[in-house]
Amino acid sequence: MGSARILAVDDERETCEALAEMLSAWGHKVETAFDGHDALRKAGEFRPDVVLSDLAMPETDGLWLLRNLREELPDCPVVFLTGRGTIDTAVESIREGAYDFIVKPLDTARLKVCIDRALEKKETMREVQTLRRRLKQLGSTDLIAGSTGMRKVIEMMEKVAPSKASVSISGESGTGKEVVARTVHNLSLRRDKPFIAINCASIPATLIESELFGHERGAFTGADQRRPGVFEMAHGGTLFLDELGEIPIDLQAKLLRVLEEGRLRRLGGKVEIEVDVRVLSATNRDLKQEIKNQRFREDLYFRLNVFQLHLPPLRERRDDVPILVQHFVDKFRGDSAKRVSGVHPEAMEVLKNYDWPGNIRELRNAVERAVILCDGELITREHLPPDMAGKSPERHTFKLPFGLSLDAVEREYILGSLQRNGNNKARTAEVLGVSEKTLYNKLNRYAAENRAQGTPGGGSPLGGQGNDGPMSASSFLTR
């Protein structure tokens, strides 16, 4: 790191001056203080990037200084120097918000690394705060982007938002695709017009055409009045089609025509209606593979995939975990009138090291649960879900023989994942990054194939629970 402003605090003048001399030799600008009151006054004038302070001082010790600095300089990292007799107090200081502590006699190499990391953290937090203020002005307070990968996503969003281009947003389930879509809308010239989001996987295939394009009275049984579709509702604004790959192929041609001509006809209608809509889309499916399997139109793919945004999974942006955790703590504390203010460092380590198969959605749920259970100021390990409160989850593997087709490999992987998740289909779909509808369709197909082959127990794969022994495609169907 480059030059920084550091406030060195120690009641022993010789020690403080020697520390200042060493820090200056490293290229930093240093101010010294010899008690807590002096340090607090100089902090207000000097505005240090880091405070380096002795912990045990007469009258006003390091903890007193830390608590008062929190009001004056809440974002300034504080590093304590402590003797072996005050390590318990040093640990308490971490709980209260100190960045780190170093035991005397000083290891200068460790001190240098500690200061560099504290400065890196301060710089990251400064960038995050700037970004969050900008996003808050645009109405997107849930988009947290401290990691390098997510900051690049933000840069790409800012570039594409003012255009009229269709945007395809990819990423695992729970990574925040709708939040990104809404942010693109808020950054665009259409921000004052409607933003309509629709999950195509949650709508029965028989109703999705009506949901998209609307219907006239009497168009089908139960259509007792005219109803506009989401394209009409989003006129002038933005339409977000989540789980795009679930749209039936026979309806994709009509969707393409609406996108290209800006005109639609309601189900059962006789006149065409003009619509001006920017379409953003997302899917967990591999649409290129779907095109090869003739389940998705190539021309529609190119029409919607003009610009791509890919959201990395949470396990690839672990630097964002502490920021996301604090964001959700603040949110749920307000919702529940709790006095929770943060997370104990030990619990935070568990959260940072967890793999988060459910991504931000799973993290959000874990923090909400922890806030409900916590009666103090800090969330501890015991407040975390049982499956992550112990050791970090193991990475599970499975072995397959050579010679299997890709369909057979997919089949075994899906059924193995289902077993791993205790036959919980919603959880399995989330881990696999597909919709529940897709998972159910595959399981039904496996059952039908087994019935056709005369495999014993070829009943519905949506049936009951079984034992926890090894599972194959055929054994699963008897469960």
Side-chain angles (χ1 to χ4, degrees):
M1 296 294 292
S3 176
R5 295 187 305 276
I6 299 180
L7 176 62
V9 187
D10 199 309
D11 61 302
E12 296 181 1
R13 287 179 175 266
E14 290 185 1
T15 302
C16 190
E17 289 169 357
L19 184 60
E21 185 179 346
M22 180 174 64
L23 294 170
S24 297
W26 291 347
H28 301 301
K29 185 177 182 181
V30 186
E31 279 284 344
T32 57
F34 307 110
D35 61 55
H37 291 294
D38 189 26
L40 196 59
R41 179 180 61 81
K42 287 189 174 177
E45 299 170 354
F46 183 52
R47 312 299 291 183
D49 296 308
V50 176
V51 172
L52 188 61
S53 173
D54 189 18
L55 185 58
M57 296 184 293
E59 297 183 16
T60 53
D61 64 3
L63 281 178
W64 180 91
L65 177 60
L66 175 67
R67 290 163 185 155
N68 284 274
L69 277 173
R70 246 187 338 221
E71 298 179 8
E72 183 72 25
L73 299 170
D75 297 329
C76 181
V78 178
V79 177
F80 284 121
L81 309 179
T82 180
R84 296 192 180 278
T86 55
I87 289 180
D88 288 344
T89 308
V91 172
E92 178 64 24
S93 75
I94 297 292
R95 292 175 180 166
E96 293 212 24
Y99 176 73
D100 203 352
F101 68 87
I102 298 176
V103 179
K104 298 177 180 178
L106 290 182
D107 179 339
T108 55
R110 185 176 186 277
L111 175 62
K112 194 172 189 303
V113 169
C114 183
I115 291 173
D116 286 347
R117 288 180 176 171
L119 291 170
E120 287 175 0
K121 179 183 179 182
K122 182 179 175 65
E123 178 63 18
T124 297
M125 291 302 296
R126 185 191 65 78
E127 292 178 4
V128 168
Q129 290 301 324
T130 300
L131 183 60
R132 289 180 72 174
R133 281 195 297 270
R134 188 162 78 238
L135 292 172
K136 188 174 183 180
Q137 292 172 352
L138 297 166
S140 298
T141 57
D142 287 335
L143 187 61
I144 308 298
S147 64
T148 302
M150 280 304 295
R151 285 204 293 264
K152 288 181 179 177
V153 171
I154 295 290
E155 291 173 6
M156 298 287 280
M157 288 166 52
E158 290 178 332
K159 290 179 179 178
V160 73
S163 74
K164 296 181 180 180
S166 299
V167 180
S168 172
I169 306 167
S170 62
E172 295 180 6
S173 179
T175 50
K177 294 188 286 294
E178 183 172 340
V179 173
V180 168
R182 190 177 295 274
T183 304
V184 170
H185 170 75
N186 288 337
L187 288 167
S188 75
L189 301 177
R190 298 170 178 259
R191 66 177 68 92
D192 296 325
K193 299 297 183 179
F195 174 86
I196 305 295
I198 179 175
N199 188 318
C200 302
S202 65
I203 304 168
T206 54
L207 296 179
I208 194 165
E209 182 175 1
S210 170
E211 191 71 23
L212 288 173
F213 309 121
H215 62 256
E216 298 288 350
R217 180 179 179 181
F220 52 84
T221 303
D224 54 358
Q225 60 183 357
R226 173 188 290 174
R227 183 177 182 277
V230 291
F231 268 90
E232 285 184 75
M233 294 166 63
H235 179 65
T238 305
L239 175 62
F240 175 54
L241 299 176
D242 198 5
E243 297 289 0
L244 174 72
E246 301 298 330
I247 295 178
I249 187 130
D250 56 348
L251 186 58
Q252 291 173 22
K254 185 171 183 178
L255 174 59
L256 178 63
R257 181 174 176 272
V258 172
L259 293 175
E260 290 182 338
E261 299 181 7
R263 302 174 67 86
L264 63 82
R265 183 178 298 167
R266 297 192 192 107
L267 197 63
K270 297 180 179 179
V271 298
E272 289 193 330
I273 303 166
E274 289 190 6
V275 287
D276 172 22
V277 176
R278 182 186 191 179
V279 176
L280 312 179
S281 61
T283 181
N284 290 317
R285 289 193 182 191
D286 182 348
L287 291 186
K288 290 185 178 180
Q289 187 60 46
E290 293 293 290
I291 291 170
K292 290 180 181 178
N293 295 335
Q294 298 184 340
R295 289 194 290 262
F296 200 85
R297 292 178 62 103
E298 187 174 31
D299 46 7
L300 179 59
Y301 171 80
F302 288 121
R303 181 66 180 77
L304 291 172
N305 208 43
V306 176
F307 195 93
Q308 299 178 20
L309 290 173
H310 177 70
L311 304 186
L314 191 53
R315 62 183 174 275
E316 294 179 8
R317 43 181 292 213
R318 295 184 189 274
D319 290 348
D320 286 343
V321 170
I323 307 169
L324 284 162
V325 168
Q326 191 59 51
H327 171 74
F328 289 131
V329 166
D330 294 341
K331 174 181 174 60
F332 295 123
R333 176 183 61 216
D335 293 346
S336 60
K338 291 272 189 171
R339 59 191 183 98
V340 184
S341 61
V343 179
H344 188 280
E346 186 181 75
M348 184 61 78
E349 282 302 306
V350 174
L351 294 171
K352 287 168 65 177
N353 292 325
Y354 186 64
D355 265 356
W356 300 110
N359 292 294
I360 297 174
R361 185 183 294 120
E362 184 181 7
L363 174 64
R364 183 183 190 277
N365 293 342
V367 175
E368 183 175 16
R369 175 187 188 275
V371 170
I372 292 171
L373 293 176
C374 182
D375 294 321
E377 293 187 1
L378 293 179
I379 292 171
T380 63
R381 196 170 186 145
E382 65 183 13
H383 299 130
L384 303 180
D387 61 339
M388 70 177 68
K391 64 180 182 178
S392 297
E394 299 174 3
R395 295 183 180 274
H396 293 269
T397 61
F398 74 109
K399 295 181 179 179
L400 291 171
F402 286 106
L404 291 180
S405 67
L406 285 177
D407 282 345
V409 170
E410 180 188 66
R411 176 188 181 117
E412 292 299 321
Y413 185 65
I414 288 174
L415 297 180
S417 298
L418 190 65
Q419 180 191 33
R420 170 76 186 121
N421 288 287
N423 208 25
N424 184 320
K425 297 170 185 66
R427 170 72 169 169
T428 302
E430 187 173 65
V431 170
L432 293 174
V434 300
S435 67
E436 288 185 54
K437 179 180 176 182
T438 298
L439 179 62
Y440 274 71
N441 287 342
K442 288 183 180 294
L443 296 179
N444 279 322
R445 179 159 59 84
Y446 299 157
E449 289 171 356
N450 275 50
R451 284 195 297 270
Q453 295 169 6
T455 304
S460 169
L462 309 181
Q465 305 284 328
N467 58 38
D468 292 323
M471 176 181 283
S472 67
S474 57
S475 67
F476 167 72
L477 297 172
T478 65
R479 291 168 70 82

